[in-house]
Amino acid sequence: MAEASGTANIGVVGMAVMGSNLARNLASREGNTVAVYNRSPERTRKLVSEHPEAGFVASESVDDFVASLAKPRTAIIMVQAGAGTDAVISELAERFEPGDIIVDGGNANFHDTIRREKDVSASGIHFVGTGISGGEEGALKGPSIMPGGTAEAYKTLGPILASIAAVAEGEPCVTHIGTDGAGHFVKMVHNGIEYADMQLIAEAYDLLRTITKREPAELAEVFTAWNSGDLESYLIEITAEILKQVDAETGKPFVDIVLDQAGAKGTGSWTVQNALDLGVPVGGIAEAVFARSLSSHPEQREAVQATISSRPDVVEVDVDTFADDIRAALYASKVVAYAQGFDEIVAGAAQYGWNIDKGAVAKIWRAGCIIRAQFLNRIVEAYEKNPDITTLLEDPYFASAVADGEAAWRRVVSTAALSGVPVPGFGAALSYYDALSVKRLPAALVQGQRDFFGAHTYKRIEKEGTFHTLWSGDRTEIESAPSTH
């Protein structure tokens, strides 16, 4: 497969489905000549033979691959995250020169990206951790792309990525997120929001199925109707398609023959873990992650079910009215999930020194990615009006939208509880909203408990300073240095 050297402006390493689709996307865009390489050459040969129109510059050795790239050499790695990625980075870094660019387009942990960028940049080579969302179809037809790395690297890489990105309202869904791990951090949060969005939709389906007793085909019509309003999104669209599907083997609705144990690949958990480290409450996202974990413990579910002799009777409702309530509750809960996600982006940017444009992030999520939705335009508008807004829930549009749906939201959560239908997503979102809404939280008592057993101190509402009560003594109050615990 030897080719003339220095002919490709972009290369792709890793010819599994995502890598091969991305390579095909790149090759289909005017101005791109694409070099391809895979550790197992059979995959490279297969891609080249099946797509001669792409004009791939194919190599069966890493040396030939590097030689096939025009300077500054730019290569996108699309291999399994972890040790495999480190191995490819090492191979390229040994052969690349200062000014060349290595792009990791996999689902890497942003902490790894920060480490890798530091190591690679020491030799003058640019390392760009890049989040790519949209799955196999997005990779082929146009994903949402979230690159980190240096501004200098983006001058070369930006136009290439823009050529393959999805387009929303005339704008490519790619923007320079920030330095080192910023791109993979934002992709991580995207996936966390995706978990929450999917869980909320699943809860809406479960409520409609259990309480209104409609069959999946009927519910497909409900979701199709919802997709023409303020809930318009890719996930609502595919939910309707899934509910229409009938299993060819059994004749049953597809959703009824699928094992009710949800899988996960880690990015949702990372979102929650890092939110904890940053001190950002993302309960809606966390409950979505936990719901998948709970579903995947059938032995615990069966053990508890064996102890129960009866379940609550389903509350009788007006079918159409309750469906409208669920739609409103779903929208309000969805707003909370996005608000929590953007809170984490703000906190991450502050912690790691990234200058992230929140409105630009919302823009590039409008097409190509899994959470693409009509209401992302509203988030763009919110940050354009006030880039330093403390929470999306204070924006007039979202404040009004949540307020308008609040009564329905409460009816849905209470009806679910009385009927024994689990709604961890809806419930967590409503509790979060209530916690922000009430004038005073029971955290005052928690601070009292912490001070009682651990002398962790507290602050008073009417004066400055930090205080401790001598609980094991005469219970007088003393002014104290703030606790470090």
Side-chain angles (χ1 to χ4, degrees):
M1 284 191 176
E3 300 282 350
S5 64
T7 58
N9 69 309
I10 183 69
V12 179
V13 179
M15 294 294 105
V17 176
M18 283 291 289
S20 59
N21 280 2
L22 193 72
R24 289 172 58 196
N25 188 348
L26 284 160
S28 71
R29 311 296 172 156
E30 186 176 353
N32 288 337
T33 300
V34 184
V36 291
Y37 166 70
N38 193 79
R39 188 179 293 272
S40 302
E42 293 79 11
R43 282 187 170 176
T44 307
R45 294 171 192 155
K46 184 173 185 290
L47 177 68
V48 171
S49 65
E50 290 179 350
H51 298 282
E53 77 286 351
F56 290 123
V57 180
S59 299
E60 294 194 0
S61 75
V62 68
D63 288 322
D64 287 346
F65 172 73
V66 170
S68 71
L69 296 170
K71 297 182 180 180
R73 302 178 185 90
T74 303
I76 303 175
I77 300 171
M78 298 296 291
V79 301
Q80 188 172 6
T85 299
D86 279 321
V88 175
I89 291 170
S90 179
E91 286 183 329
L92 293 180
E94 288 173 2
R95 294 163 173 83
F96 274 21
E97 299 172 352
D100 291 347
I101 305 168
I102 299 173
V103 182
D104 177 13
N107 260 342
N109 187 309
F110 79 95
H111 291 293
D112 289 336
T113 304
I114 291 173
R115 168 182 58 80
R116 289 165 177 158
E117 196 278 337
K118 183 178 180 181
D119 291 344
V120 171
S121 65
S123 61
I125 299 169
H126 297 287
F127 183 80
V128 181
T130 300
I132 300 176
S133 178
E136 298 172 11
E137 183 179 358
L140 180 62
K141 298 180 179 178
S144 173
I145 310 176
M146 295 153 261
T150 64
E152 182 183 351
Y154 193 70
K155 289 178 183 177
T156 298
L157 186 62
I160 297 172
L161 297 181
S163 75
I164 63 167
V167 176
E169 300 182 20
E171 298 177 297
C173 291
V174 58
T175 190
H176 183 219
I177 301 295
T179 55
D180 52 59
H184 276 140
F185 181 90
V186 167
K187 174 57 164 56
M188 175 195 74
V189 174
H190 163 283
N191 285 23
I193 294 172
E194 178 186 311
Y195 273 60
D197 212 342
M198 293 170 69
Q199 175 65 23
L200 292 167
I201 292 169
E203 290 178 18
Y205 153 76
D206 196 24
L207 287 163
L208 288 166
R209 184 94 189 263
T210 304
I211 295 178
T212 71
K213 298 180 173 60
R214 293 182 181 179
E215 290 301 308
E218 297 175 279
L219 297 182
E221 296 178 7
V222 173
F223 280 94
T224 298
W226 286 358
N227 198 46
S228 63
D230 53 13
L231 282 171
E232 179 188 345
S233 68
Y234 172 70
L235 286 171
I236 293 289
E237 175 188 341
I238 67 170
T239 296
E241 292 301 315
I242 292 165
L243 293 175
K244 289 177 188 175
Q245 183 72 8
V246 175
D247 176 53
E249 185 174 335
T250 64
K252 294 180 179 180
F254 169 80
V255 73
D256 287 347
I257 60 92
V258 177
L259 189 66
D260 61 339
Q261 297 175 23
K265 289 191 174 180
T267 46
S269 299
W270 294 348
T271 306
V272 177
Q273 290 163 359
N274 283 283
L276 289 169
D277 291 339
L278 293 167
V280 178
V282 294
I285 296 171
E287 287 297 343
V289 175
F290 295 147
R292 293 195 192 188
S293 299
L294 187 151
S295 77
S296 299
H297 285 282
E299 74 290 347
Q300 292 182 337
R301 295 165 61 189
E302 291 166 6
V304 171
Q305 289 162 25
T307 70
I308 298 171
S309 58
S310 65
R311 295 281 295 143
D313 293 329
V314 171
V315 174
E316 291 188 12
V317 298
D318 179 86
V319 171
D320 292 334
T321 300
F322 191 61
D324 286 342
D325 279 354
I326 293 174
R327 183 202 60 75
L330 177 56
Y331 190 67
S333 299
K334 182 185 179 84
V335 170
V336 166
Y338 279 75
Q340 291 178 348
F342 275 92
D343 286 349
E344 184 164 356
I345 290 173
V346 170
Q351 175 70 24
Y352 297 103
W354 300 321
N355 182 22
I356 297 179
D357 183 333
K358 283 85 68 181
V361 169
K363 278 187 176 183
I364 67 170
W365 287 350
R366 293 179 300 175
C369 69
I370 304 302
I371 64 171
R372 58 186 183 264
Q374 184 270 339
F375 98 132
L376 280 159
N377 278 317
R378 300 293 189 176
I379 296 179
V380 174
E381 293 166 4
Y383 282 116
E384 284 178 346
K385 286 186 293 185
N386 182 2
D388 299 318
I389 194 169
T390 58
T391 169
L392 282 174
L393 294 172
E394 74 168 302
D395 174 76
Y397 170 80
F398 291 115
S400 176
V402 173
D404 289 346
E406 183 180 348
W409 202 2
R410 297 189 188 285
R411 287 193 295 269
V412 167
V413 173
S414 60
T415 300
L418 291 170
S419 302
V421 179
V423 285
F426 282 134
L430 181 57
S431 290
Y432 176 82
Y433 177 69
D434 281 338
L436 292 177
S437 302
V438 297
K439 293 290 186 183
R440 189 162 170 80
L441 292 167
L445 179 57
V446 173
Q447 282 299 88
Q449 293 168 334
R450 294 179 72 242
D451 190 59
F452 192 108
F453 66 68
H456 292 302
T457 73
Y458 53 88
K459 294 182 182 295
R460 298 180 60 95
I461 61 174
E462 85 289 5
K463 61 182 177 181
E464 295 294 321
T466 301
F467 302 91
H468 167 59
T469 292
L470 302 173
W471 296 103
S472 58
D474 61 5
R475 300 204 173 186
T476 56
E477 183 181 78
I478 60 172
E479 192 159 4
S480 175
S483 170
T484 59
H485 300 286

